[in-house]
Amino acid sequence: MRKWQCTTCGDIYDEAIGDPDSGIAPGTRFEDIPDDWMCPTCGSTKDSFEPYTE
Amino acid sequence: MSTPIIPTELVAPIWNPASYANRDAVEQIFATLRRDYPLAMCEVPGYKPHWIVTKYKDVREVSRLDDIFHSGDISKTPASIMAEAMMAEYSGGKPHIFRTLVHMDKPDHTEYRNVVKDVFMPQNVATLKDGVLASAREFADQMADMNGECDFAETIAMRYPLQVICDQIGLPREDHATMLRLTQWFLSYADPDLCRPGSVLTDPEQQIKTWQIVYDEFKSYYTDLVAQRRAAPRKDLATLIAHGQIHGQPMDERGMISYFVIASTAGHDTTAATIGNAMWILARDPGLFSRIKADRSLISGFVEEAIRISTPPMAFVRSATQDYELSGQQIKKGDRLYVSYLSANKDEEVFDAPFAFQPDRTPNRHIGFGFGSHICVGQHLARLEMRTLWEELFERLEWVEMAGEGQWQESEFVCGPKRVPIRYKMN
Ligand code: HEM
Ligand SMILES: [Zn+2]
């Protein structure tokens, strides 16, 4: 499971957690999120996200 | 469908800075608009027609669609026809006094934002923890030395975030007060207590003079600083901005001065407003105070709720670059939209009991920091600052109450309390 960061607002998409508020189940890989998904914090599109390492 | 028009007597006060001294009355206007005119046209004499966007969903949609709803073609802040004419005259035909990130569109916006973006990412802001904590302790100590009574807005709320951001920019402490003065003259130009002494709101000449003084002072101050940092780089924001490249070229003068202006104004005025209002709320609500003192895990929710309730930048104006249908209304190319963050953050359809202060509100997806590509670049720093201060204050304050009347600023754009007189016991 990996993490991704929104380069606009800094939000983290953690594949382990998903984004249940937007219907993305825990465990969903970033690649498998639908293309019309938006960053829940700032509304950026999927392509604004980069892989994130701690 | 014909375009709904909001009755003038209902909507006119939202343009007038003096209205904001009575916050409840303003909130009531927006509550009425959300119910009866959620997306409708405002045609108040002295102002060009604007759509007033009041609903959370619409505010997010407009803010997110940056290519359709531009930030840079007209004044991004609410302005009368006369003010717009004055700004154009002053700036040689441009719609803004300063051209900051807030006033830009793609591709410039992306380039300019990239200059500082990384240092404000949460993982990098986390490294500032110790410095921020030292400042929070310094201000808590000052408060403890004031014999149990102070005007919290003036002594703590306005000064602590100022110190944090000015330290980050790399400004010597003795210059911080100058930044506060210039910020207030610029953003609180209409407040009788905070405006430039001698400037009279009703006299446009005075307004232009204020801009001139503020621009010149910022310019001479920052031109020196840029020269210093180019000669001897340091680890601070001033160095980043001084070396910033835009489309492979150094920033032009107006862009650079404006960059410093946004950092040294937006970087503290907003946080000050939130901290001041949060104390005002606490000092009137002993139950809330003891609840959070007993359970500090609520501090982070307390901070989010303070931002939602306060919503310091209350509105921005956008213009449509093409026709667009928004919630059943036909927006035409060239139309102006007054986008109310204040209203969106109280939208009954999104926030239960929107006027109740609930530190445990979940979810609390407020848009106090905006939405879309202009979302506040300083949001993680702002949160760190506020959480750190409240950790200190909840640890050391035994009780707090109001010692007089609080007072809101008279400001139609960024607004917060200017007086929060409190009495307290702290160790
Ligand atoms: C509680 C504190 C704060 C609040 C409520 C706040 C609010 C906002 C909002 C609503 C915007 C969006 C403007 C738009 O839609 O055009 C914004 C942008 C911005 N804020 Fe903040 N802010 C806060 C603290 C800070 C801090 C500490 C900084 C420090 C650097 C900062 C710097 C900026 C900058 C540079 C922008 C422009 C971003 C852009 O247009 O791309 N803010 N802020
Ligand atoms: Zn985002």
Side-chain angles (χ1 to χ4, degrees), chain A residues 5 7-9 38 41-43, chain B residues 64 113 121 123 371-372 380:
Chain A
Q5 184 166 41
T7 55
T8 302
C9 74
M38 292 185 304
T41 298
C42 76
Chain B
R64 182 168 60 78
R113 192 164 161 127
M121 281 286 147
Q123 56 274 38
F371 199 68
H380 304 290

Side-chain angles (χ1 to χ4, degrees), chain A residues 6 8-11 39 41-44 49:
Chain A
C6 173
T8 302
C9 74
D11 221 50
C39 170
T41 298
C42 76
S44 288
F49 281 73

Side-chain angles (χ1 to χ4, degrees), chain A residues 5-12 19 21 38-45 50 52-53, chain B residues 60 64 113 117 121-123 363 365-366 370-377 379-380 383:
Chain A
Q5 184 166 41
C6 173
T7 55
T8 302
C9 74
D11 221 50
I12 301 284
D19 177 15
D21 287 351
M38 292 185 304
C39 170
T41 298
C42 76
S44 288
T45 46
E50 283 176 354
Y52 176 76
T53 39
Chain B
R60 296 216 316 176
R64 182 168 60 78
R113 192 164 161 127
K117 187 171 94 170
M121 281 286 147
Q123 56 274 38
R365 289 214 171 276
H366 64 78
F371 199 68
S373 70
H374 286 276
I375 195 167
C376 181
V377 87
Q379 58 173 310
H380 304 290
R383 289 194 172 99

Side-chain angles (χ1 to χ4, degrees), chain B residues 76 101-102 109 113 120 165 262 266-267 270-271 274 312-313 316 341 368-370 373-374 376-378 382 385-386:
Chain B
K76 180 102 180 247
L101 277 181
V102 171
H109 175 253
R113 192 164 161 127
F120 288 110
I165 189 66
I262 189 78
T270 45
T271 321
T274 311
F316 287 96
Y341 295 14
F369 289 119
S373 70
H374 286 276
C376 181
V377 87
E385 270 173 56
M386 291 191 274

Side-chain angles (χ1 to χ4, degrees), chain A:
Chain A
M1 293 279 105
R2 291 203 289 166
K3 290 183 181 176
W4 297 71
Q5 184 166 41
C6 173
T7 55
T8 302
C9 74
D11 221 50
I12 301 284
Y13 175 79
D14 182 340
E15 294 183 341
I17 297 170
D19 177 15
D21 287 351
S22 322
I24 310 292
T28 306
R29 286 186 317 165
F30 192 74
E31 299 79 74
D32 298 335
I33 299 176
D35 285 340
D36 61 359
W37 177 81
M38 292 185 304
C39 170
T41 298
C42 76
S44 288
T45 46
K46 236 182 116 173
D47 54 12
S48 306
F49 281 73
E50 283 176 354
Y52 176 76
T53 39
E54 262 143 311

Side-chain angles (χ1 to χ4, degrees), chain B residues 29-43:
Chain B
I29 294 173
F30 282 106
T32 308
L33 292 178
R34 281 192 301 280
R35 189 192 61 206
D36 299 339
Y37 300 93
L39 176 61
M41 194 54 101
C42 161
E43 296 180 344

